[in-house]
């Protein structure tokens, strides 16, 4: 099983609510650079945070890849989500792309690689990490690549 974790692209600094912040032009360009690294990968589904900037990021990736399946919006991919809860939800996802936010993505990667949250993975906007393992269990996955546009 492969898990790709993509942090959303650069977003506007302010909006009425954090969840409503949109991608900047630069953020869209960042996302397209990261999406190019996913071309030809065996992607089964894209799970995405309900926040606007993550939705925009996932839609850009979906279009860039010609991925025909719909995006799957899940409430457990927000910045404040609990990585341990997310791991339990990944078992039936197949090869999956997660589109989410810091600090969640850094902590989730740490949990999948090391089995704990004490070494969060640095993730800039539009950073993409590729993990592989038999199952998405804490401490059971291997880091294959990390891309920071």
């Amino acid at each position: 099983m492969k898990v790709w974790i993509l942090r959303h692209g650069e977003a506007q600094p302010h909006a009425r609510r954090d969840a409503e912040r949109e991608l900047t032009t630069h953020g869209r360009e960042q996302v397209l650079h990261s999406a190019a690294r996913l071309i030809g990968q065996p992607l089964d589904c894209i799970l995405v945070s309900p926040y606007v900037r993550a939705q925009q990021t996932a839609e850009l990736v979906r279009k860039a890849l010609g991925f025909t399946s719909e995006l799957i919006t899940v409430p457990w991919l927000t910045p404040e989500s609990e990585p341990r809860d997310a791991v339990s939800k990944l078992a039936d996802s197949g090869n999956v792309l997660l589109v989410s936010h810091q600090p969640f993505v850094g902590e989730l990667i740490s949990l999948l690689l090391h089995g704990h949250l004490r070494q969060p993975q640095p993730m800039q906007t539009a950073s993409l990490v590729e993990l592989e393992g038999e199952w998405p269990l804490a401490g059971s996955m291997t880091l294959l690549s990390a891309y920071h546009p």
Side-chain angles (χ1 to χ4, degrees):
M1 159 178 215
K2 287 192 175 186
V3 176
W4 291 272
I5 299 174
L6 176 63
R7 182 178 176 201
H8 63 80
E10 178 187 84
Q12 298 170 329
H14 303 289
R16 202 165 41 96
R17 295 179 329 123
D18 181 47
E20 297 173 357
R21 292 172 46 217
E22 295 189 17
L23 292 179
T24 63
T25 301
H26 177 66
R28 292 175 183 280
E29 292 169 5
Q30 289 177 311
V31 170
L32 293 175
H33 285 286
S34 294
R37 300 203 157 272
L38 293 166
I39 293 172
Q41 295 294 338
L43 195 58
D44 296 317
C45 67
I46 300 174
L47 303 180
V48 58
S49 158
Y51 285 29
V52 171
R53 60 192 179 272
Q55 291 284 318
Q56 291 173 327
T57 296
E59 185 59 32
L60 284 168
V61 170
R62 190 178 76 77
K63 285 181 179 175
L65 298 179
F67 190 75
T68 56
S69 297
E70 292 297 316
L71 302 174
I72 302 169
T73 301
V74 294
W76 46 268
L77 286 176
T78 62
E80 303 82 23
S81 293
E82 172 55 53
R84 289 177 189 89
D85 294 340
V87 168
S88 67
K89 294 173 175 33
L90 292 176
D92 298 325
S93 299
N95 296 317
V96 60
L97 169 64
L98 305 178
V99 181
S100 189
H101 317 264
Q102 278 290 54
F104 173 77
V105 293
E107 292 173 350
L108 177 62
I109 294 164
S110 177
L111 183 61
L112 290 169
L113 292 177
H114 310 296
H116 56 74
L117 306 176
R118 294 186 302 268
Q119 291 177 277
Q121 174 78 22
M123 294 286 283
Q124 303 165 15
T125 53
S127 285
L128 176 68
V129 166
E130 179 182 11
L131 306 172
E132 184 175 54
E134 230 175 287
W135 294 99
L137 301 172
S140 71
M141 300 200 83
T142 302
L143 177 67
L144 296 182
S145 66
Y147 173 70
H148 308 285

